[in-house]
Amino acid sequence: METELSKKLGVEHAIFGFTPFPAVAAAITRAGGLGVLGAVRYTAADDLKRDLDWMQTHTDGKPYGLDVVMPAKKAVDGISEADIEAMIPAGHREFVRETLAKHHVPELAEGEASGWRITGWMEQVARNQLDVAFDYPIKLLANALGSPPADVIARAHDHGVLVAALAGSAKHARRHAEAGIDVVVAQGYEAGGHTGDIATMVLVPEIVEAVAPLPVLAAGGIGSGEQIAAGLALGAQGAWLGSLWLTTTEADLHSRALTEKLLAAGSGDTVRSRALTGKPARQLRTEWTDAWDDPDGPGALPMPLQGLLVAEAVSRIQKYEVQPLLGTPVGQIVGRMNSERGVQAVFDELTGGFERAIARMNRIAGRT
């Protein structure tokens, strides 16, 4: 499953696996793909360094990448996280308290800090991550909020690192190309996390045409080798997969209840909601998302206010595994995620499905 891009990066299969878990990223790389570690959770540079050290010793010298969240333009300038929190309306804080109380969600222990916090959106946090990352032989730097600042792109190129950016429309993809991005990830409506309104089947060829000859990765709703073959047939040079890895045995969700919800969920059990970060993000539909999407409620705040508002609440829901409220970002491919398997087993299924798809198309074309 080689393409020009996979050969350039030195990977056997054109499968790019995004994950917040170092063990999953390393396993993806060992299996012949490119594991891409999500950095948004690393608010402390030392924690990222610790896990990149671990990656170095568990990737067998094979390539891997890093995904950061960095806006091309500063959303705020000279404003601290505390200043941002002060902008959160009292009514929204009360809505959170009432919703948690309705479901009898216990408080965190006295002195226990929230274990989940969206602070990676802050440019300085991402820059601190890059100060660490460029000391390691990463091969790809992906940005989840469009094109990173020009100096970051230049710095990556100085280190021989390709830069990728996610796009939900051809217009966004053209902006990435103009900014000097090397790879565009065409992320369709079906994808987990922040995503746009255009489905993958429509989006991929539009972006391929818009940014040619830049390589494009197909993303959103992909969880089989047959779907990867379809993405390549549409002009992509690989597939970007994220949700599929959440139910692998190497993933560390810290919640058996959440894993079981993912395994039981169907393709129709997700929703694009602003409940988590303030931007539309596909996730499991829960009573938490329903509460925020209810027209009678206060509505979600814009990013980053919403993420800061719900940080402690999400930690409490996850810690105490409050079933009606418990969720996670995940794409519509969750309907295929109905068993726990190791990353290598997933890869075997992906490559086997790809081979079957190619053989089928060759038969249809009369080549066999």
Side-chain angles (χ1 to χ4, degrees):
M1 200 187 300
E2 288 185 331
T3 64
E4 183 179 345
L5 178 61
S6 68
K7 292 176 182 177
K8 186 173 184 177
L9 289 166
V11 298
E12 181 180 359
H13 302 297
I15 297 174
F16 297 73
F18 164 77
T19 173
F21 307 117
V24 176
I28 292 168
T29 285
R30 291 196 305 271
L34 187 81
V36 182
L37 179 65
V40 72
R41 297 187 181 190
Y42 295 96
T43 56
D46 286 346
D47 291 340
L48 178 59
K49 183 179 187 304
R50 175 202 64 214
D51 283 355
L52 288 178
D53 283 339
W54 188 91
M55 291 273 294
Q56 274 295 102
T57 60
H58 290 83
T59 47
D60 299 339
K62 296 180 179 180
Y64 59 91
L66 189 74
D67 179 279
V68 298
V69 177
M70 176 180 283
K73 297 179 180 179
K74 293 184 180 181
V76 292
D77 192 4
I79 300 178
S80 69
E81 184 178 328
D83 292 332
I84 298 293
E85 289 219 42
M87 300 178 187
I88 297 173
H92 281 73
R93 294 190 184 278
E94 181 60 26
F95 181 75
V96 170
R97 285 191 289 268
E98 290 176 352
T99 304
L100 295 178
K102 176 182 176 181
H103 293 275
H104 309 291
V105 182
E107 298 276 356
L108 296 176
E110 186 175 351
E112 183 178 357
S114 168
W116 183 95
R117 203 158 181 81
I118 293 292
T119 53
W121 61 270
M122 299 177 73
E123 180 178 340
Q124 191 53 52
V125 173
R127 287 187 179 274
N128 291 342
Q129 293 167 350
L130 295 179
D131 288 341
V132 171
F134 286 133
D135 287 335
Y136 294 82
I138 61 171
K139 294 298 184 182
L140 181 74
L141 174 66
N143 190 50
L145 280 183
S147 305
D151 68 295
V152 171
I153 297 174
R155 186 179 179 191
H157 289 166
D158 288 344
H159 283 82
V161 177
L162 296 184
V163 181
L166 277 64
S169 71
K171 178 177 67 175
H172 294 156
R174 291 188 193 97
R175 290 177 186 167
H176 295 339
E178 292 167 0
I181 293 297
D182 305 292
V183 181
V184 177
V185 180
Q187 180 170 276
Y189 172 81
E190 303 94 326
H194 296 138
T195 186
D197 300 307
I198 305 173
T200 304
M201 183 65 73
V202 174
L203 182 67
V204 172
E206 285 186 356
I207 288 184
V208 167
E209 181 178 352
V211 301
L214 284 184
V216 173
L217 300 178
I222 299 175
S224 72
E226 289 85 352
Q227 289 172 307
I228 294 174
L232 298 189
L234 294 173
Q237 288 199 30
W240 177 275
L241 285 67
S243 298
L244 191 65
W245 316 110
L246 289 174
T247 52
T248 57
T249 54
E250 292 90 345
D252 188 11
L253 289 176
H254 297 294
S255 173
R256 186 63 205 171
L258 180 54
T259 298
E260 290 175 354
K261 285 191 78 169
L262 289 169
L263 293 172
S267 300
D269 292 329
T270 69
V271 63
R272 284 174 75 241
S273 172
R274 298 178 184 270
L276 188 60
T277 68
K279 282 180 173 287
R282 185 170 298 284
Q283 54 201 283
L284 281 180
R285 181 173 183 175
T286 66
E287 292 189 30
W288 178 256
T289 62
D290 286 349
W292 284 104
D293 295 338
D294 189 332
D296 293 330
L301 296 169
M303 192 179 193
L305 298 180
Q306 182 72 11
L308 293 172
L309 168 66
V310 304
E312 181 182 323
V314 172
S315 289
R316 290 165 59 185
I317 292 166
Q318 291 177 345
K319 176 178 180 177
Y320 299 109
E321 297 187 322
V322 183
Q323 188 78 6
L325 305 179
L326 188 63
T328 185
V330 68
Q332 291 181 330
I333 197 63
V334 71
R336 293 182 62 97
M337 295 158 50
N338 50 23
S339 66
E340 292 181 85
R341 300 158 295 162
V343 167
Q344 184 62 61
V346 173
F347 253 82
D348 291 343
E349 288 191 8
L350 292 174
T351 54
F354 179 82
E355 291 171 355
R356 290 192 298 272
I358 297 303
R360 185 182 305 119
M361 295 308 297
N362 281 333
R363 289 196 299 273
I364 291 172
R367 295 192 181 97
T368 58

